């Protein structure tokens, strides 16, 4: 009986350790990616592709770091249905950035159109739709300011 308990404890400990290590690695990788993007002065199109790839891959740490607090960050991580985050299933057709002046938008933004396949987006049926990603330049580099159907 004691041997079985010891094996159970070891297996659970290994599982928790792997989970924590994975979360730590993802957080570190997101930080490295954000710093790399700032260092190379990435374009809004590049930022959009990085953001979309992170959202589709479930890299919630990176999508949250690139999204300003007043708009939703996309996240397709396991069990994301427990949160209020929509799931980005796939994406394509990332277009050319268009400057939107403050007179048209809430503030000067650069918006990049794309096509996304999504689920769990509040108020939308699951499936394909046009979506715009609007970026603003901050002291920390480009950050997602606004988004929505294009």
């Amino acid at each position: 009986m004691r041997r079985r308990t010891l094996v159970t404890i070891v297996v659970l400990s290994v599982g928790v350790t792997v989970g924590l290590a994975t979360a730590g690695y993802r957080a570190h990788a997101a930080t490295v990616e954000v710093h790399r993007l700032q260092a190379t002065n990435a374009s809004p199109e590049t930022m959009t592709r990085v953001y979309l790839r992170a959202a589709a891959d479930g890299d919630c740490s990176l999508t949250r770091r690139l999204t300003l607090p007043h708009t939703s960050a996309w996240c397709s991580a396991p069990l994301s249905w427990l949160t209020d985050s929509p799931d980005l299933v796939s994406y394509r057709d990332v277009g050319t950035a268009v400057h939107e002046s403050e007179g048209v938008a809430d503030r000067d933004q650069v918006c990049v159109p794309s096509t996304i396949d999504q689920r769990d987006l509040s108020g939308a049926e699951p499936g394909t739709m046009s979506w715009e990603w609007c970026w603003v330049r901050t002291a920390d580099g480009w950050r997602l300011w606004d988004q929505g159907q294009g």
Side-chain angles (χ1 to χ4, degrees):
M1 182 71 168
R2 288 185 184 191
R3 181 177 171 93
R4 187 178 301 181
T5 302
L6 180 62
V7 169
T8 301
I9 290 171
V10 168
V11 168
L12 289 175
S13 297
V14 168
V16 169
T17 302
V18 168
L20 290 173
T22 301
Y25 172 77
R26 282 189 175 259
H28 173 72
T31 300
V32 168
E33 184 72 4
V34 168
H35 288 299
R36 184 188 70 77
L37 292 172
Q38 292 167 5
T40 61
N41 198 19
S43 69
E45 293 92 346
T46 298
M47 293 300 295
T48 301
R49 285 184 186 91
V50 167
Y51 190 90
L52 289 167
R53 185 175 56 242
D57 289 347
D59 190 345
C60 304
S61 179
L62 182 55
T63 58
R64 285 187 195 112
R65 287 174 187 249
L66 294 176
T67 304
L68 291 172
H70 69 275
T71 192
S72 297
W74 287 73
C75 181
S76 297
L79 304 178
S80 63
W81 55 272
L82 294 174
T83 70
D84 60 355
S85 298
D87 291 333
L88 183 75
V89 177
S90 64
Y91 63 92
R92 61 190 169 285
D93 305 328
V94 175
T96 303
V98 176
H99 181 262
E100 306 255 349
S101 69
E102 191 170 345
V104 175
D106 293 341
R107 64 184 276 188
D108 282 349
Q109 309 172 44
V110 177
C111 297
V112 179
S114 70
T115 302
I116 63 169
D117 294 310
Q118 58 75 33
R119 64 177 173 246
D120 299 329
L121 181 62
S122 180
E125 290 293 319
T128 302
M129 61 177 48
S130 297
W131 200 260
E132 277 194 335
W133 310 91
C134 297
W135 302 89
V136 295
R137 178 72 83 174
T138 70
D140 295 323
W142 292 107
R143 294 296 181 265
L144 190 62
W145 169 262
D146 197 12
Q147 56 178 301
Q149 281 189 287

